[in-house]
Amino acid sequence: MSDRTNLVSRVLPAVGLILALMVPFYLSGFWLLLGVMVMAAAIGAIGLSLLVGTAGQLSLAHAFFLAVGAYAYCWFAGAPGPGGGGITLTGLELPPLLAAVLAVATAGVAGLLFSPVAGRVRGLYLGLASLALVFLGQHLLFNLSSVTGGFNGRGVPELSVLGFELTGRDPELTLLGVPFGDRERQWYVALVCVVVASVFARRVLAGRPGRALVLMRENETAAGVVGVPVSRYKASAFVLSSMYAGLAGVLLAQAFQRVVPEYFGLVLSVEYLAMIVIGGLGSVTGAVLGAAFVTGLPSLLSHYSGLLTFLAEPGTSGVDPAVAARLVFGVAIVAVILLEPGGLVALGRRLRLAVRYRADAAGPGDPGSPPDPVGHSALPPQDMTTASS
């Protein structure tokens, strides 16, 4: 890699972070809420990409672990009292920050309890086994009314530290003339979480655990022969993915301010699989890109449905924004599988290589490397360098 490319790869993340820090000063509440939802989904997608793309363990249970994180936070931080529909809610009234940590840990424990199943089966059988968790979770969410609020759901306590609401409006705060309400504060909380989650995932992928997971995905027998404790690594991958989902569930609950059982169904699990496939399996950057695409598209179509005259109103005959978004997801998945299995991140790598070759060819004294005749990277899509990109 040339010095110029190395410099650009170091400067771009810093520029992106600075721009992200400035967003609440310029964008409206709709865009901030959309950004929070995208960042929360990105965290969940990174966890699922570690499990499916890197460790090779198919899971359809991501919606279940998201629900565990969201509802566990509400129960740990919530106060007992009357809920909707005459239901009496229970709660521990713990400090919200402690409740968030315990919610993520609870999701990890749920993943640990399921890990023996993941250690025994793999592939399609593991996917079907994990699917049972979604149905079990839906049944519990509807019927464990004192904890979940049943059909009506449950309100979400604000995340706060020593009385300062990190995701609320109390106390009132104004910076540089901009009122910092709940959406602005949620943006920064989600930004910190997604940066920490991304850096941690990159460290895992670039280190010995990441290499072991890739070897285990390619050949479990070979991994065992070279000393990789396969069962322990499988369990660890499931626990880590579940904790990522739990954190995403806490952030989504803060964004929605109320959690309801219908949201955490099979469709949500499929959407997360779509995120990591479209973005690029086994890649942190791909998970973030896929989350932005799958989470942002329905909201954008709904927001601009007045300009898109071919879209019907929700609940009427025709293609409404939600249906249109799912059709686009389906086309995108088929296109990725047929044309670019590495997803959006591989497509971006092709463009970067093409730009670098043109720049090197135009520069004096450094003709650069010849381009790949078919435009492929020198590394396969699942190589660890790709995975940590």
Side-chain angles (χ1 to χ4, degrees):
M1 182 180 293
S2 66
D3 292 340
R4 182 173 52 188
T5 305
N6 214 350
L7 179 63
V8 170
S9 65
R10 291 181 179 180
V11 169
L12 277 182
V15 173
L17 183 59
I18 292 173
L19 292 176
L21 291 172
M22 296 171 61
V23 163
F25 291 95
Y26 297 98
L27 295 186
S28 64
F30 167 78
W31 294 104
L32 295 179
L33 175 60
L34 180 59
V36 170
M37 292 170 58
V38 167
M39 287 189 277
I43 294 172
I46 290 171
L48 187 61
S49 188
L50 286 173
L51 181 65
V52 179
T54 306
Q57 294 182 279
L58 178 61
S59 172
L60 290 171
H62 221 51
F64 171 79
F65 296 112
L66 284 160
V68 170
Y71 277 97
Y73 171 77
C74 294
W75 187 71
F76 283 128
I87 296 172
T88 301
L89 298 174
T90 60
L92 298 184
E93 289 189 278
L94 295 178
L97 196 57
L98 175 61
V101 174
L102 291 177
V104 175
T106 302
V109 170
L112 181 63
L113 293 175
F114 186 75
S115 61
V117 178
R120 288 178 177 272
V121 296
R122 61 175 301 174
L124 179 61
Y125 296 102
L126 178 58
L128 292 176
S130 63
L131 184 60
L133 284 180
V134 178
F135 297 133
L136 174 63
Q138 287 271 287
H139 177 76
L140 293 176
L141 294 180
F142 279 113
N143 293 281
L144 204 58
S145 302
S146 62
V147 175
T148 65
F151 182 83
N152 295 311
R154 182 165 187 161
V156 180
E158 301 290 356
L159 190 62
S160 64
V161 177
L162 300 176
F164 183 88
E165 291 185 348
L166 298 174
T167 58
R169 298 173 177 270
D170 188 26
E172 294 185 359
L173 181 65
T174 301
L175 292 178
L176 302 176
V178 178
F180 264 54
D182 51 352
R183 295 308 180 201
E184 288 80 5
R185 302 183 196 192
Q186 287 172 11
W187 172 276
Y188 285 117
V189 171
L191 181 61
V192 170
C193 290
V194 77
V195 169
V196 172
S198 299
V199 171
F200 183 79
R202 289 175 187 274
R203 294 290 180 118
V204 170
L205 290 169
R208 185 174 179 179
R211 293 192 292 272
L213 290 175
V214 172
L215 179 58
M216 188 178 72
R217 179 196 66 205
E218 298 298 330
N219 193 319
E220 284 189 16
T221 304
V225 168
V226 300
V228 175
V230 175
S231 298
R232 195 179 73 189
Y233 269 75
K234 279 187 173 181
S236 300
F238 227 99
V239 171
L240 184 59
S241 174
S242 304
M243 294 179 72
Y244 269 82
L247 178 58
V250 173
L251 292 176
L252 286 173
Q254 293 292 332
F256 296 147
Q257 299 180 344
R258 188 172 192 83
V259 286
V260 291
E262 289 90 344
Y263 179 72
F264 301 97
L266 179 59
V267 172
L268 185 62
S269 286
V270 174
E271 286 181 352
Y272 271 86
L273 284 176
M275 291 177 197
I276 62 173
V277 171
I278 294 173
L281 284 171
S283 166
V284 174
T285 303
V288 175
L289 293 176
F293 181 74
V294 174
T295 304
L297 184 61
S299 298
L300 291 176
L301 289 178
S302 298
H303 189 68
Y304 292 108
S305 59
L307 300 176
L308 305 173
T309 54
F310 59 89
L311 294 177
E313 291 291 331
T316 62
S317 60
V319 179
D320 61 27
V323 174
R326 287 172 186 167
L327 292 175
V328 173
F329 297 159
V331 172
I333 291 174
V334 173
V336 165
I337 292 174
L338 293 179
L339 304 177
E340 183 50 270
L344 294 176
V345 71
L347 185 61
R349 190 185 317 114
R350 285 195 188 199
L351 295 175
R352 191 169 64 245
L353 286 174
V355 171
R356 192 176 70 182
Y357 171 72
R358 287 180 177 274
D360 289 344
D366 182 12
S369 303
D372 189 307
V374 293
H376 287 143
S377 167
L379 298 173
Q382 301 302 335
D383 184 274
M384 280 310 304
T385 305
T386 302
S388 61
S389 65

